[in-house]
């Protein structure tokens, strides 16, 4: 159903790659904590270093633009997916500190380069009037891949007694086989607009950069501290946390396409206004919640609201020079990951004395995002990227060479 109604071969290729990425990465992520403790005998410091190393390729995602000097974007997407699959397949064979650091970095390079190029190709290949709906469908496909991974882990490890090495190997090899099918099935597509092969920071994209940074900051609070609160404050078990993940992915599977259509219909400003108002309420509620059931409900609502963030990408597509998309996608991933490097460490110290303050800072991020998104025009385009800006940030249109 998720693929059948899609007729554009470029869109089908992107959805196929999204499915593989989600299935393989979900396997790695789901098993990681148990694997590093039970098999690799990691301590807390080693786990922290591993997670930091995993984020480094995201912070360095801007280097993807230099790789594009020697290969096409579609090729880089396929090579990156192969690196992700190989990194996951090898994980179980190196249950040591250095071995896991190496496989994690390999996997992460593939993951972050793929995500960077995937965003660029989506914005280049999809018509503007279809992009938000397509990205909603892609979220649904991503959820389907993750749910398949969860089901396979339960069946093969719980039911048939497979070990971690077997599970990681099968996930990686399965991803490589699916990737080989996509390479055989789809031709090389020509990009409609040749891309700039240098780093770009356009003053006229300042609103997009700001929304991207704040999105990364809020996401870190959700990923690091919301889940930790469930365990530390409310005593959620592994089964309960897994149940929350399953509910989140089921919601994406069922409702993400409708969210994409909602963004397409009401526009980026209204969609992001709904997201940021909702997130401000959710983060404030996190700070004072005393009910385990309500905390779990907030966690699911939080995840669902983040799906509206596809509006940031569709906004970029409407305001950017089509030749800027690859370079801007690379830079935006680095901007997003600045928060991933800084926020957990700083707020982790604050958590020791004032956990509620961590979530109230998240409320501040959401309200700041709300103020910024209200500057998005009703119909943003290259000539009118914002409703208001200081003169030095207004778009300067280059002279027409013709």
């Amino acid at each position: 159903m998720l693929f059948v109604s899609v007729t554009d071969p470029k869109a089908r290729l992107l959805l196929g790659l999204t499915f593989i990425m989600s299935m393989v990465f979900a396997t790695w992520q789901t098993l990681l904590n148990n694997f590093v403790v039970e098999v690799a005998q990691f301590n807390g410091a080693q786990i922290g270093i591993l997670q930091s190393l995993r984020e480094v390729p995201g912070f360095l995602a801007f280097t993807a633009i230099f790789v594009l000097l020697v290969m096409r974007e579609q090729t880089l997407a396929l090579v990156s997916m192969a690196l992700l699959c190989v990194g996951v397949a090898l994980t179980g064979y190196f249950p040591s500190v250095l071995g896991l650091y190496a496989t994690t970095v390999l996997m992460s390079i593939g993951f972050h380069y793929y995500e960077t190029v995937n965003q660029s190709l989506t914005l280049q290949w999809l018509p503007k009037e279809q992009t938000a709906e397509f990205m909603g469908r892609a979220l649904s496909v991503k959820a389907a891949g993750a749910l398949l991974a969860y089901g396979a882990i339960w069946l093969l490890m719980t039911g048939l007694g497979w070990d971690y090495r077997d599970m990681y190997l099968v996930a990686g090899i399965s991803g490589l086989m699916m990737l080989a099918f996509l390479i055989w099935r789809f031709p090389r597509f020509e990009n409609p607009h040749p891309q700039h092969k240098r780093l770009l920071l356009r003053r006229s994209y300042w609103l997009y950069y700001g929304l991207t940074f704040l999105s990364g900051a809020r996401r870190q609070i959700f990923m690091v501290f919301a889940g930790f609160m469930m365990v530390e404050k409310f005593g959620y078990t592994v089964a309960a946390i897994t149940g929350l993940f399953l509910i989140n992915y089921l919601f994406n599977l069922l409702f993400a396409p409708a969210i994409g259509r909602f963004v397409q219909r009401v526009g980026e400003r209204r969609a992001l206004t709904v997201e940021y108002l909702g997130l401000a309420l959710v983060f404030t509620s996190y700070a004072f919640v005393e009910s385990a059931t309500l905390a779990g409900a907030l966690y699911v609502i939080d995840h669902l609201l983040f799906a509206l963030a596809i509006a940031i990408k569709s906004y970029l597509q409407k305001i950017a020079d089509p030749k800027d998309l690859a370079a801007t996608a690379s830079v935006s991933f680095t901007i997003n990951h600045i928060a991933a490097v800084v926020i957990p460490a700083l707020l982790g110290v604050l958590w020791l004395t004032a956990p509620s303050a961590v979530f109230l800072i998240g409320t501040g991020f959401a309200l700041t995002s709300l103020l910024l998104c209200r500057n998005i025009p009703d119909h943003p385009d290259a000539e009118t990227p914002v409703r208001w800006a200081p003169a030095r940030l207004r778009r300067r249109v280059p002279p027409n060479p013709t």
Side-chain angles (χ1 to χ4, degrees), residues 98-180:
L98 293 180
L100 275 171
Y101 288 171
T103 56
T104 296
V105 169
L106 178 64
M107 178 280 302
S108 185
I109 291 172
F111 174 83
H112 285 98
Y113 271 23
Y114 164 73
E115 286 291 304
T116 299
V117 178
N118 176 61
Q119 175 178 317
S120 173
L121 291 178
T122 298
L123 299 183
Q124 290 180 61
W125 286 354
L126 273 293
K128 294 179 181 179
E129 63 274 9
Q130 299 176 15
T131 301
E133 181 176 354
F134 172 82
M135 287 191 288
R137 185 185 294 271
L139 287 176
S140 190
V141 169
K142 184 177 180 180
L147 289 172
L148 176 61
Y150 291 149
I153 290 170
W154 180 83
L155 175 65
L156 297 176
M157 297 190 72
T158 304
L160 300 181
W162 283 28
D163 61 17
Y164 293 103
R165 185 175 67 178
D166 294 335
M167 195 68 239
Y168 277 127
L169 180 64
V170 166
I173 294 299
S174 298
L176 287 172
M177 292 174 64
M178 294 179 189
L179 180 62

Side-chain angles (χ1 to χ4, degrees), residues 193-226:
H193 303 282
Q195 296 296 292
H196 294 299
K197 301 299 194 301
R198 64 182 188 277
L199 293 179
L200 292 174
L201 279 172
R202 302 287 195 199
R203 285 185 292 181
S204 55
Y205 302 165
W206 67 269
L207 182 57
Y208 168 74
Y209 298 144
L211 291 171
T212 298
F213 173 79
L214 290 168
S215 176
R218 292 190 315 275
R219 189 69 174 169
Q220 287 303 310
I221 295 177
F222 169 70
M223 293 180 64
V224 176
F225 297 106

Side-chain angles (χ1 to χ4, degrees), residues 304-362:
L304 190 61
L305 285 170
F306 267 115
L308 288 167
I310 61 178
I312 299 177
K313 298 177 183 178
S314 64
Y315 167 65
L316 172 66
Q317 185 188 37
K318 292 178 179 179
I319 68 168
D321 183 329
K323 297 179 181 180
D324 290 352
L325 290 172
T328 304
S330 300
V331 170
S332 70
F333 258 78
T334 294
I335 292 172
N336 186 275
H337 279 76
I338 292 172
V341 174
V342 176
I343 293 294
L346 293 180
L347 296 189
V349 175
L350 180 61
W351 181 270
L352 298 176
T353 55
S356 294
V358 171
F359 294 117
L360 292 177
I361 289 173

Side-chain angles (χ1 to χ4, degrees), residues 264-319:
Q264 202 80 54
R265 185 174 67 254
V266 305
E268 288 78 12
R269 185 174 77 246
R270 294 183 180 89
L272 290 174
T273 297
V274 171
E275 178 189 2
Y276 300 146
L277 282 173
L279 289 176
L281 291 173
V282 168
F283 278 120
T284 303
S285 299
Y286 276 147
F288 302 107
V289 66
E290 295 296 335
S291 165
T293 302
L294 179 57
L298 290 170
Y299 193 83
V300 173
I301 294 170
D302 196 345
H303 181 85
L304 190 61
L305 285 170
F306 267 115
L308 288 167
I310 61 178
I312 299 177
K313 298 177 183 178
S314 64
Y315 167 65
L316 172 66
Q317 185 188 37
K318 292 178 179 179
I319 68 168

